[in-house]
Amino acid sequence: MSQQGYVAAPPYSQSQPGIGGFSAGFGPPSSSHHYGDPNSYSAPQPVVSKSDVPFGSSAPVGPPPPGTHQIGQTNTQNGPSTAGQQPHSHQTQPAYPNTASTSSTAQLANQLSSMQINSYGPGTTPSSCPSGHPASFQGPQLLPPAQQQVALPPGPWIPPPAVKSLCAQPSLPPMVRQDGIPAPVPPNPNLQQLSGQPPGPGYPQQANYGPQMAGSPLSYPGAFPGGPAQLSGPPQKKLDPDAVPSPIQVIENDKASRGGQTYATNIRGQVPPLVTTDCIIQDQGHASPRFIRCTTYCFPSSSELAKQTRIPLAAVIQPFAVVPPNETPLYIVNHGETGPIRCNRCKAYMCPFMQFIEGGRRYQCGFCSCVNDVPPFFFQHLDHVGQRVDHYERPELSLGSYEYVATLDYCRNSKPPKPPAYIFMIDVSYRNIKSGLVRLICDELKTLLDKLPREDQEESSAIRVGFVTYNKVLHFFNVKSSLARPQMMVVSDVEEVFVPLLDGFLVNFQESRSVVISLLNQIPEVFADTNESETIFAPVIQAGVEALKAAECAGKLFIFHSSLPTAEAPGKLRNRDDKKLLNTDKEKTLFQPQVNAYEALARDCVANGCCVNLFLFPNQYVDVASMGLVTMYTGGTLYKYNNFQLDADSSQFLSDLRRDVEKKTGFDAIMRVRTSTGFRATDFFGAIYMNNTTDVEMAAVDCDKAVTVEFKHDDKLSEDSGALIQCAVLYTSVSGQRRLRIHNIGLNCSSQVADVYKTCETDALINFFAKSAFKAILSQPLKTVRDILVSQTAHMLACYKKNCASPSAVSQLILPDAMKVLPVYINCLLKSCVLMGRPEIPMDERAHQRQLVMSMGVAETQLFFYPQLLPIHSLDLKSDVVPAALRCSEERLSEGGVFLLANGLSLFLWLGVSAPPELIQGLFNVPSFAHINAEATSLPDLDNPFSKKLKAILEHLQGQKPYTMKLVIVKQREQPEMLFRQLLVEDKSIYGGGSYMDFLFCLHKEICQLLS
Ligand SMILES: [Zn+2]
């Protein structure tokens, strides 16, 4: 038990040269090209020049161009659009700031109507394109027929005259400035900054972020106090929500056309099925969309074109995504001591993009064009088409994704790695003991440790485990198998933590089972009478990383913590929650760590392959922005259980813990993204750490973590060779084998704007926009970030309209087919609580959501920003099918209905006041609505078809989700309904964000201004 050699930690406050503040340590703001690279947007540049077609010309109205969605507007005064559904009243919720709605809503209706947009009815499925479209839109190899089609009915066109008035007046004042605003100003601070005022001095350098139109500041968000409902009074035009593009329709159409089929990745630039569509992926040379999804599958061929379209060029890479059992797992290629075959110049790995020449003796690299010799052991003859005869026998020649066994050259210090370790670190302060949490954790670990991850061929896990408890001091435990009972060692010097034992701290659970079980039995007893309420936090992480260093292995820490760490120690935090900072320039500081200690600690963890998983159980502010920082930069996961109650919250917590302990993970990982000539990766977003501009370091990367990579042009791209991307992740497996996981994908390139728009993927775009915006808020005012999002969306759509839409559509809101639901998603992002500060929303909640989104994959961001709303009252009890979702709007609810609403983090079961008694009886086993206990967090197991069906749906919803959703029962018109309503994202938010309709109007105005 020598302590020599393990007292290595430098003082926390010791900064290393060149890495001082937050932004310096974690990527200066200037590295973000979207939010702050003055070189990119140093001057307002007209991205879209003036159209040749004079606005207001009365060109003959023809069919709309293909690939285009034009937003519909129903006839006026057509009454309620949702027959049979009774929108429940706003009046029961006087807290909602909808006081200004009546007149301004009427105006909105009138002005939207003058947007003069074509309509298609509810439930209209995409019909085939009208004939006579320009051939350039057809691109048969790019898209399967179903996606080429446009949701345009042959329905009536409304001719443009009325429209002119809107677009002929680009300086039309924002709606809130019009006379109809009633006296009581809604309690929305945003409103005060609106309306024609130029941005105040607090928002510097607006001109740096894209062409800001003088005199027409963005009036979003919060600009439109009225929602679409509740029209009364003067002549109005009722907006029909079914006339604007529906995310649900898009999802259902894709399911109908591509669901259940096999999708082969054999064609470059092919757009995969949507992330919401279930299908079987077959790797035939490009990485599965489970691993890589792109914002567009056809890059603009020049940087000029890219700047013109403003479409972000990005890939969302989830390198360890779960491959379902009915798909082929990755092959492992082992070239023995020779190691992987790589291009001599650019170091790209052998892959399907390498072209074999000279009878197979040499190959030309697809990334840098360098001609390399084929190593003798790898030589093979070519067939009559120049393909190696062993093409289909070698994964690295024929597949998009595979693994290589790495050689010692790829290992730390050229030594083979040891298997990783998991260290469980439990806060045993007063509150955790009293709440029963400590006992719960200890009891769970007794069985969970049998389920540590292992390689398929292994009988038991190679992962070693260790245990630490702490309050103001640290307790290490010796659980060596030869001991009769565990031994505790206390470390009270928290300034410079050392590990008091090496032998016996990290053990194999199977070998030390009896000692470990004994320890887990004793921990709750030993601390049962504790009075200690203060805790440390940074020294806990430091202790974990020191233990891994001493054991020379990578690993994960599982920290179970409850309170703000106020004990005197490095990383000590104070309560700095300050509502006065909301909507000021200083709001961004609330997302940054309050002390530097955590940055240095994160760096130390990453350098030593130490991933930090944090389970937080706060009952007040704990400064998630500071405490979660190390978790974020080490590829860990932050779980948060507010006001944890043993009976109500245990199942959620234990389910999260089990999943995290068992999940597939790569340790001590480093990722490199290589590209073919002409473009390169310029920015990275995720739970990652960057020491330089190219290497993405991840202490660990698990199956749920995705890194979003942005690309920029260096040069022109060739339409022949396309844009090739290779992502290589070097990592240590659960068994301690050093491996490389390679994902390759090829995209097309085109000089035609239409090709780029046609192959866009909205879900991937939203993932990119969310992560880039959530990164930008660390360095910029939130309003600036929101304005940039609106401006960029408008630019993308304006460029499409100018270049691809029929001139007759001059005054209409035109959306490319592949982006037709982009506005609704962007609006959801804009009003997320991360980007929109409100005193009602705890700062920790915002910091937590920000952190979660930064590492999400495309499927997760899709669900998070546009939740799933399922009608439960109309279930087909005989079918196994989950009912089709509804649009997230109050209009879709009915008093007689029961609905589920889930976004991947929260799950609500909403019950209308007139829900059928037989359904209530079936689900809750009580006679009526009034008898339902809304405190319950689970439903009783009942032997009837309603109950069984709902249980099956809940299980399906939870599925492969990274976070366990706790069920919240919401009775109509009772208090928790406020939380539920926040997820009805198409409506005006109770916290100030505008509705989908509001945003379309705002966007249309922006686009008109850009094109005028
Ligand atoms: Zn090369």
Side-chain angles (χ1 to χ4, degrees), residues 152-180:
L152 283 175
W157 268 89
I158 305 167
V163 186
K164 281 190 267 177
S165 63
L166 184 64
C167 285
Q169 304 173 27
S171 58
L172 187 76
M175 296 193 53
V176 285
R177 301 180 60 202
Q178 299 196 355
D179 297 331

mmCIF file of all heavy atoms in Angstrom, residues 152-180:
data_model
loop_
_atom_site.group_PDB
_atom_site.id
_atom_site.type_symbol
_atom_site.label_atom_id
_atom_site.label_comp_id
_atom_site.label_asym_id
_atom_site.label_seq_id
_atom_site.Cartn_x
_atom_site.Cartn_y
_atom_site.Cartn_z
ATOM 1 N N LEU A 152 -47.918 18.489 -54.210
ATOM 2 C CA LEU A 152 -48.732 19.536 -54.814
ATOM 3 C C LEU A 152 -49.954 18.934 -55.451
ATOM 4 O O LEU A 152 -49.854 18.097 -56.330
ATOM 5 C CB LEU A 152 -47.936 20.242 -55.897
ATOM 6 C CG LEU A 152 -46.913 21.216 -55.391
ATOM 7 C CD1 LEU A 152 -46.132 21.747 -56.560
ATOM 8 C CD2 LEU A 152 -47.578 22.344 -54.633
ATOM 9 N N PRO A 153 -51.059 19.347 -55.026
ATOM 10 C CA PRO A 153 -52.275 18.825 -55.625
ATOM 11 C C PRO A 153 -52.524 19.603 -56.888
ATOM 12 O O PRO A 153 -51.970 20.679 -57.085
ATOM 13 C CB PRO A 153 -53.325 19.186 -54.594
ATOM 14 C CG PRO A 153 -52.804 20.449 -54.003
ATOM 15 C CD PRO A 153 -51.303 20.399 -54.089
ATOM 16 N N PRO A 154 -53.312 19.078 -57.708
ATOM 17 C CA PRO A 154 -53.677 19.851 -58.879
ATOM 18 C C PRO A 154 -54.614 20.981 -58.482
ATOM 19 O O PRO A 154 -55.247 21.599 -59.298
ATOM 20 C CB PRO A 154 -54.365 18.822 -59.770
ATOM 21 C CG PRO A 154 -54.813 17.744 -58.839
ATOM 22 C CD PRO A 154 -53.933 17.774 -57.640
ATOM 23 N N GLY A 155 -54.691 21.228 -57.224
ATOM 24 C CA GLY A 155 -55.658 22.156 -56.659
ATOM 25 C C GLY A 155 -55.566 23.559 -57.225
ATOM 26 O O GLY A 155 -54.697 23.881 -58.023
ATOM 27 N N PRO A 156 -56.450 24.379 -56.797
ATOM 28 C CA PRO A 156 -56.587 25.700 -57.404
ATOM 29 C C PRO A 156 -55.384 26.581 -57.071
ATOM 30 O O PRO A 156 -54.902 26.580 -55.957
ATOM 31 C CB PRO A 156 -57.842 26.244 -56.747
ATOM 32 C CG PRO A 156 -57.912 25.543 -55.433
ATOM 33 C CD PRO A 156 -57.330 24.193 -55.651
ATOM 34 N N TRP A 157 -54.935 27.237 -58.027
ATOM 35 C CA TRP A 157 -53.925 28.258 -57.798
ATOM 36 C C TRP A 157 -54.638 29.559 -57.516
ATOM 37 O O TRP A 157 -55.598 29.911 -58.168
ATOM 38 C CB TRP A 157 -53.105 28.481 -59.050
ATOM 39 C CG TRP A 157 -51.910 27.656 -59.109
ATOM 40 C CD1 TRP A 157 -51.820 26.408 -59.630
ATOM 41 C CD2 TRP A 157 -50.634 28.006 -58.649
ATOM 42 N NE1 TRP A 157 -50.559 25.949 -59.512
ATOM 43 C CE2 TRP A 157 -49.806 26.918 -58.921
ATOM 44 C CE3 TRP A 157 -50.094 29.131 -58.030
ATOM 45 C CZ2 TRP A 157 -48.468 26.920 -58.600
ATOM 46 C CZ3 TRP A 157 -48.767 29.138 -57.708
ATOM 47 C CH2 TRP A 157 -47.962 28.027 -57.983
ATOM 48 N N ILE A 158 -54.102 30.259 -56.585
ATOM 49 C CA ILE A 158 -54.674 31.581 -56.380
ATOM 50 C C ILE A 158 -53.735 32.543 -57.079
ATOM 51 O O ILE A 158 -52.553 32.584 -56.789
ATOM 52 C CB ILE A 158 -54.738 31.902 -54.890
ATOM 53 C CG1 ILE A 158 -55.525 30.776 -54.208
ATOM 54 C CG2 ILE A 158 -55.396 33.240 -54.659
ATOM 55 C CD1 ILE A 158 -55.421 30.783 -52.718
ATOM 56 N N PRO A 159 -54.240 33.253 -58.014
ATOM 57 C CA PRO A 159 -53.353 34.121 -58.791
ATOM 58 C C PRO A 159 -52.746 35.235 -57.950
ATOM 59 O O PRO A 159 -53.300 35.614 -56.925
ATOM 60 C CB PRO A 159 -54.256 34.672 -59.890
ATOM 61 C CG PRO A 159 -55.643 34.482 -59.395
ATOM 62 C CD PRO A 159 -55.629 33.356 -58.433
ATOM 63 N N PRO A 160 -51.638 35.730 -58.375
ATOM 64 C CA PRO A 160 -50.833 36.586 -57.533
ATOM 65 C C PRO A 160 -51.299 37.992 -57.178
ATOM 66 O O PRO A 160 -50.705 38.540 -56.269
ATOM 67 C CB PRO A 160 -49.505 36.691 -58.281
ATOM 68 C CG PRO A 160 -49.633 35.868 -59.496
ATOM 69 C CD PRO A 160 -51.012 35.360 -59.608
ATOM 70 N N PRO A 161 -52.240 38.607 -57.807
ATOM 71 C CA PRO A 161 -52.402 40.039 -57.569
ATOM 72 C C PRO A 161 -52.303 40.477 -56.110
ATOM 73 O O PRO A 161 -51.525 41.355 -55.782
ATOM 74 C CB PRO A 161 -53.791 40.340 -58.117
ATOM 75 C CG PRO A 161 -54.045 39.286 -59.110
ATOM 76 C CD PRO A 161 -53.221 38.107 -58.738
ATOM 77 N N ALA A 162 -53.037 39.829 -55.265
ATOM 78 C CA ALA A 162 -53.071 40.293 -53.881
ATOM 79 C C ALA A 162 -51.703 40.212 -53.226
ATOM 80 O O ALA A 162 -51.387 40.960 -52.325
ATOM 81 C CB ALA A 162 -54.058 39.460 -53.086
ATOM 82 N N VAL A 163 -50.925 39.296 -53.738
ATOM 83 C CA VAL A 163 -49.634 39.039 -53.150
ATOM 84 C C VAL A 163 -48.704 40.202 -53.277
ATOM 85 O O VAL A 163 -47.869 40.447 -52.434
ATOM 86 C CB VAL A 163 -49.021 37.888 -53.925
ATOM 87 C CG1 VAL A 163 -47.764 37.488 -53.279
ATOM 88 C CG2 VAL A 163 -50.026 36.814 -54.062
ATOM 89 N N LYS A 164 -48.865 40.846 -54.377
ATOM 90 C CA LYS A 164 -47.917 41.902 -54.692
ATOM 91 C C LYS A 164 -47.803 42.892 -53.541
ATOM 92 O O LYS A 164 -46.741 43.367 -53.242
ATOM 93 C CB LYS A 164 -48.368 42.633 -55.950
ATOM 94 C CG LYS A 164 -48.031 41.856 -57.202
ATOM 95 C CD LYS A 164 -48.264 42.690 -58.433
ATOM 96 C CE LYS A 164 -49.650 42.478 -58.979
ATOM 97 N NZ LYS A 164 -49.962 43.290 -60.117
ATOM 98 N N SER A 165 -48.909 43.102 -52.943
ATOM 99 C CA SER A 165 -48.875 44.132 -51.917
ATOM 100 C C SER A 165 -47.881 43.782 -50.822
ATOM 101 O O SER A 165 -47.204 44.640 -50.300
ATOM 102 C CB SER A 165 -50.262 44.307 -51.317
ATOM 103 O OG SER A 165 -50.639 43.096 -50.694
ATOM 104 N N LEU A 166 -47.767 42.514 -50.522
ATOM 105 C CA LEU A 166 -46.853 42.154 -49.444
ATOM 106 C C LEU A 166 -45.411 42.316 -49.882
ATOM 107 O O LEU A 166 -44.599 42.927 -49.216
ATOM 108 C CB LEU A 166 -47.095 40.706 -49.019
ATOM 109 C CG LEU A 166 -46.255 40.267 -47.839
ATOM 110 C CD1 LEU A 166 -46.627 41.068 -46.607
ATOM 111 C CD2 LEU A 166 -46.445 38.793 -47.586
ATOM 112 N N CYS A 167 -45.135 41.751 -51.032
ATOM 113 C CA CYS A 167 -43.734 41.739 -51.415
ATOM 114 C C CYS A 167 -43.276 43.035 -52.026
ATOM 115 O O CYS A 167 -42.097 43.312 -52.084
ATOM 116 C CB CYS A 167 -43.464 40.596 -52.371
ATOM 117 S SG CYS A 167 -43.462 39.101 -51.436
ATOM 118 N N ALA A 168 -44.209 43.802 -52.472
ATOM 119 C CA ALA A 168 -43.810 45.084 -53.012
ATOM 120 C C ALA A 168 -43.420 46.026 -51.881
ATOM 121 O O ALA A 168 -42.873 47.065 -52.098
ATOM 122 C CB ALA A 168 -44.934 45.684 -53.829
ATOM 123 N N GLN A 169 -43.732 45.633 -50.684
ATOM 124 C CA GLN A 169 -43.385 46.495 -49.554
ATOM 125 C C GLN A 169 -42.507 45.745 -48.577
ATOM 126 O O GLN A 169 -42.938 45.351 -47.504
ATOM 127 C CB GLN A 169 -44.641 46.914 -48.800
ATOM 128 C CG GLN A 169 -45.661 47.604 -49.668
ATOM 129 C CD GLN A 169 -46.929 47.832 -48.889
ATOM 130 O OE1 GLN A 169 -46.919 47.949 -47.670
ATOM 131 N NE2 GLN A 169 -48.037 47.903 -49.583
ATOM 132 N N PRO A 170 -41.293 45.561 -48.966
ATOM 133 C CA PRO A 170 -40.433 44.774 -48.087
ATOM 134 C C PRO A 170 -40.250 45.422 -46.730
ATOM 135 O O PRO A 170 -39.871 44.788 -45.778
ATOM 136 C CB PRO A 170 -39.116 44.697 -48.845
ATOM 137 C CG PRO A 170 -39.185 45.757 -49.882
ATOM 138 C CD PRO A 170 -40.625 46.047 -50.140
ATOM 139 N N SER A 171 -40.512 46.688 -46.654
ATOM 140 C CA SER A 171 -40.281 47.327 -45.368
ATOM 141 C C SER A 171 -41.539 47.343 -44.515
ATOM 142 O O SER A 171 -41.639 48.078 -43.551
ATOM 143 C CB SER A 171 -39.793 48.756 -45.578
ATOM 144 O OG SER A 171 -40.754 49.461 -46.331
ATOM 145 N N LEU A 172 -42.456 46.520 -44.889
ATOM 146 C CA LEU A 172 -43.665 46.384 -44.074
ATOM 147 C C LEU A 172 -43.275 46.202 -42.622
ATOM 148 O O LEU A 172 -42.472 45.354 -42.291
ATOM 149 C CB LEU A 172 -44.418 45.142 -44.549
ATOM 150 C CG LEU A 172 -45.788 44.929 -43.929
ATOM 151 C CD1 LEU A 172 -46.791 45.881 -44.538
ATOM 152 C CD2 LEU A 172 -46.213 43.505 -44.119
ATOM 153 N N PRO A 173 -43.828 47.011 -41.774
ATOM 154 C CA PRO A 173 -43.373 46.930 -40.385
ATOM 155 C C PRO A 173 -43.748 45.599 -39.764
ATOM 156 O O PRO A 173 -44.722 44.969 -40.174
ATOM 157 C CB PRO A 173 -44.113 48.068 -39.692
ATOM 158 C CG PRO A 173 -45.145 48.534 -40.632
ATOM 159 C CD PRO A 173 -44.852 47.994 -41.984
ATOM 160 N N PRO A 174 -42.982 45.182 -38.801
ATOM 161 C CA PRO A 174 -43.334 43.943 -38.125
ATOM 162 C C PRO A 174 -44.732 44.066 -37.545
ATOM 163 O O PRO A 174 -45.171 45.139 -37.151
ATOM 164 C CB PRO A 174 -42.308 43.844 -37.007
ATOM 165 C CG PRO A 174 -41.204 44.758 -37.397
ATOM 166 C CD PRO A 174 -41.807 45.799 -38.275
ATOM 167 N N MET A 175 -45.374 42.952 -37.478
ATOM 168 C CA MET A 175 -46.775 42.983 -37.111
ATOM 169 C C MET A 175 -47.051 43.597 -35.754
ATOM 170 O O MET A 175 -48.046 44.244 -35.547
ATOM 171 C CB MET A 175 -47.313 41.574 -37.124
ATOM 172 C CG MET A 175 -47.246 41.017 -38.497
ATOM 173 S SD MET A 175 -48.198 39.555 -38.562
ATOM 174 C CE MET A 175 -49.715 40.178 -37.923
ATOM 175 N N VAL A 176 -46.164 43.383 -34.834
ATOM 176 C CA VAL A 176 -46.459 43.883 -33.503
ATOM 177 C C VAL A 176 -46.529 45.389 -33.459
ATOM 178 O O VAL A 176 -46.998 45.964 -32.499
ATOM 179 C CB VAL A 176 -45.408 43.434 -32.483
ATOM 180 C CG1 VAL A 176 -45.614 41.988 -32.167
ATOM 181 C CG2 VAL A 176 -44.028 43.727 -32.990
ATOM 182 N N ARG A 177 -46.001 46.009 -34.490
ATOM 183 C CA ARG A 177 -46.020 47.456 -34.438
ATOM 184 C C ARG A 177 -47.335 48.007 -34.951
ATOM 185 O O ARG A 177 -47.587 49.189 -34.890
ATOM 186 C CB ARG A 177 -44.884 48.013 -35.279
ATOM 187 C CG ARG A 177 -43.538 47.522 -34.793
ATOM 188 C CD ARG A 177 -42.445 48.087 -35.641
ATOM 189 N NE ARG A 177 -42.455 49.536 -35.579
ATOM 190 C CZ ARG A 177 -41.911 50.289 -36.525
ATOM 191 N NH1 ARG A 177 -41.366 49.728 -37.569
ATOM 192 N NH2 ARG A 177 -41.929 51.599 -36.409
ATOM 193 N N GLN A 178 -48.126 47.155 -35.498
ATOM 194 C CA GLN A 178 -49.358 47.681 -36.044
ATOM 195 C C GLN A 178 -50.313 48.030 -34.915
ATOM 196 O O GLN A 178 -50.129 47.675 -33.770
ATOM 197 C CB GLN A 178 -49.937 46.667 -37.011
ATOM 198 C CG GLN A 178 -48.924 46.465 -38.127
ATOM 199 C CD GLN A 178 -49.496 45.804 -39.326
ATOM 200 O OE1 GLN A 178 -50.637 45.400 -39.322
ATOM 201 N NE2 GLN A 178 -48.709 45.717 -40.359
ATOM 202 N N ASP A 179 -51.313 48.712 -35.354
ATOM 203 C CA ASP A 179 -52.118 49.393 -34.345
ATOM 204 C C ASP A 179 -52.930 48.485 -33.442
ATOM 205 O O ASP A 179 -53.444 48.919 -32.449
ATOM 206 C CB ASP A 179 -53.062 50.366 -35.054
ATOM 207 C CG ASP A 179 -52.256 51.419 -35.765
ATOM 208 O OD1 ASP A 179 -51.139 51.721 -35.289
ATOM 209 O OD2 ASP A 179 -52.707 51.916 -36.797
ATOM 210 N N GLY A 180 -53.015 47.273 -33.832
ATOM 211 C CA GLY A 180 -53.942 46.435 -33.091
ATOM 212 C C GLY A 180 -53.488 45.959 -31.732
ATOM 213 O O GLY A 180 -54.201 45.243 -31.081
#
